[in-house]
Amino acid sequence: MWQRCQDQDLPTAEETNIGPVINALQYTQLETFDISDFKIRDNIDQFIEACEKGHMSYLQELNVSCIGMDDYQTERLAQATSHMPDLEQLDISRNHSGRSLEYLAETLQGAKSLNRLHIQSMHASAEVMHTFTQKLRDFGSQLIGLKMEINNMNDSVASNLESQLPIAKRLQWISISVNGLSRKHHNNLVLTAGHLTRLQQLVVYGSQYPDDLLESVADVIPSLSDLNEVALDVTEVITSSNVGSTSWQRFKSNLQSTVNLEQLQLSHIALERSDFMELIQVCREKGLARVRYDINCVPDGVAVPEDDIFEWL
C-alpha cells in the first residue's frame, strides 16, 4: 500500500498527464503527496475532486507548491482539507492565488492537526494579508512552522503580526517579509521573534533598513536559545558603511554568544574587508555547518575561503 508519493515518483515534467495516478488515489493510504513544481494544469481539478471525495483521508503532508492553481481551485482545496483529519503540513506556496488566503484562514480554524503552513510567494495583496494575519489568533497557537514571505506587506499587516505571533508559542521556524514597512514596524516585527522562545529558524526578507535589521536580530538572539539558523536578506547590496560599525559589532557580538547556531545566511550584504574577515573568523570559531554569502559581495583583494562550510550565492 502506497504511503508516500513525491514528484520524483511521477512522470517527467514534460509528461503532464498524471490522471492515472490521481485515479488510483482512492486505493491508497498515502501519508505524503508532493507534486511541487509539477506541470499538471490539466489535472488540477481532477486532483482537487479526488481530495473532495476523501481519497486523501490518510494524508499528513501535502505539497502543491507552484502547480498553477488559481484562487477558486485553492479555495476548493482548502475546503477539501476537511477530509484530511491527520493533515499536519500544507504547502500551497508559489501559486498565484493570493486572494484565496482569506478563505484559507477561515478553513484552517477547523484543521486541528495542521501545524506547518507554507504560503510564501503567493503575491497576496496587503489587504488580503491583513485579513489572514488577523485570523492567526484562531489557529496560530497550533503552528510550529510558518513561511509567508514574498507577499505584500504594510504597517497594518505588521501590526497584526506583532500582536498575533506571540500567541504562536510553539513556532520553531518562521520566514517573513519586511519590505514596505515603516522603520517602526520593521523593527517591532523583527523584535516580536524574541517572544517565540522555541524558535529554531528565523528568516527575514526584503529589509530596507540594514542597520535596524542587524540590531533587531542581535537583540532577539539572546532570548532564542534553540536558534540554529538565521537568514537575512536586504533589498539591495549594501556596504559596511551603510550598516554602520555599531550595528555590525552588535550583531557580531551576539552572534558569538549563540549556543546552537549552525547556519547563517547574509544576502546582499557587502561588508568591508575588516568586517568580512571578522565574519569568517566568527563562523569558523563557532563551528557553523553552513554559511551562505553572496560571492559578488566578497571584498576586492580577498581570497574566497575554500572551507566546506561556505556556500557562495
Side-chain angles (χ1 to χ4, degrees), residues 47-66:
F47 167 69
I48 294 174
E49 184 177 350
C51 294
E52 291 171 333
K53 291 180 177 179
H55 295 171
M56 308 285 277
S57 59
Y58 290 90
L59 213 58
Q60 296 177 17
E61 298 180 12
L62 175 59
N63 187 343
V64 289
S65 171
C66 197

Side-chain angles (χ1 to χ4, degrees), residues 13 74-75 79 84 108 129 153 183-184 218 234 276 285 287:
T74 306
E75 289 182 7
Q79 181 74 34
M84 307 172 192
L108 292 182
M129 290 302 295
M153 298 284 287
R183 177 173 266 108
K184 172 186 174 182
V234 298
F276 179 78
E285 290 175 350

Side-chain angles (χ1 to χ4, degrees), residues 212-277:
D212 299 66
L213 177 62
L214 289 181
E215 292 189 17
S216 298
V217 172
D219 287 343
V220 303
I221 283 176
S223 61
L224 304 177
S225 59
D226 294 332
L227 194 65
N228 60 43
E229 180 176 353
V230 174
L232 307 179
D233 175 88
V234 298
T235 54
E236 58 186 18
V237 174
I238 60 176
T239 65
S240 182
S241 58
N242 293 129
V243 171
S245 177
T246 301
S247 300
W248 165 249
Q249 293 300 324
R250 188 167 162 185
F251 178 76
K252 183 192 72 170
S253 175
N254 283 6
L255 188 67
Q256 289 173 311
S257 70
T258 59
V259 176
N260 294 306
L261 192 69
E262 297 179 353
Q263 299 189 55
L264 174 66
Q265 176 173 326
L266 301 177
S267 297
H268 305 119
I269 296 179
L271 300 175
E272 295 288 353
R273 184 187 183 96
S274 60
D275 295 335
F276 179 78
M277 298 308 295

Side-chain angles (χ1 to χ4, degrees), residues 44-46 48-49 52 68-80 92 95-104 107 122:
I44 291 176
D45 287 328
Q46 181 188 2
I48 294 174
E49 184 177 350
E52 291 171 333
M69 287 192 300
D70 59 27
D71 285 296
Y72 176 65
Q73 290 168 328
T74 306
E75 289 182 7
R76 285 181 60 197
L77 181 62
Q79 181 74 34
I92 58 171
N95 288 289
H96 286 257
S97 51
R99 286 182 297 175
S100 65
L101 290 183
E102 291 180 293
Y103 183 82
L104 178 71
T107 304
M122 293 184 67

Side-chain angles (χ1 to χ4, degrees), residues 8 17 37 48 88-89 91 93 109 121 126 156 171 190-191 210 294:
Q8 62 264 34
N17 182 15
D37 297 297
I48 294 174
E88 297 178 1
Q89 177 171 308
D91 186 343
S93 60
Q109 296 176 46
S121 302
S156 177
L171 271 180
V190 176
L191 289 171
D294 293 275

Side-chain angles (χ1 to χ4, degrees), residues 65 74 89-98 100-102 104-105 108 114 116-124 128-129 131-133 136 139 143 145-153 157 161 173 175-177:
S65 171
T74 306
Q89 177 171 308
L90 175 63
D91 186 343
I92 58 171
S93 60
R94 296 185 296 148
N95 288 289
H96 286 257
S97 51
S100 65
L101 290 183
E102 291 180 293
L104 178 71
L108 292 182
L114 189 74
R116 303 185 300 279
L117 179 63
H118 301 239
I119 58 167
Q120 66 268 34
S121 302
M122 293 184 67
H123 302 279
V128 168
M129 290 302 295
T131 301
F132 178 84
T133 50
L136 274 175
F139 64 90
L143 293 178
L146 176 62
K147 292 189 175 184
M148 54 183 298
E149 76 276 6
I150 317 180
N151 289 295
N152 288 295
M153 298 284 287
V157 177
L161 285 172
W173 41 267
S175 61
I176 54 176
S177 292

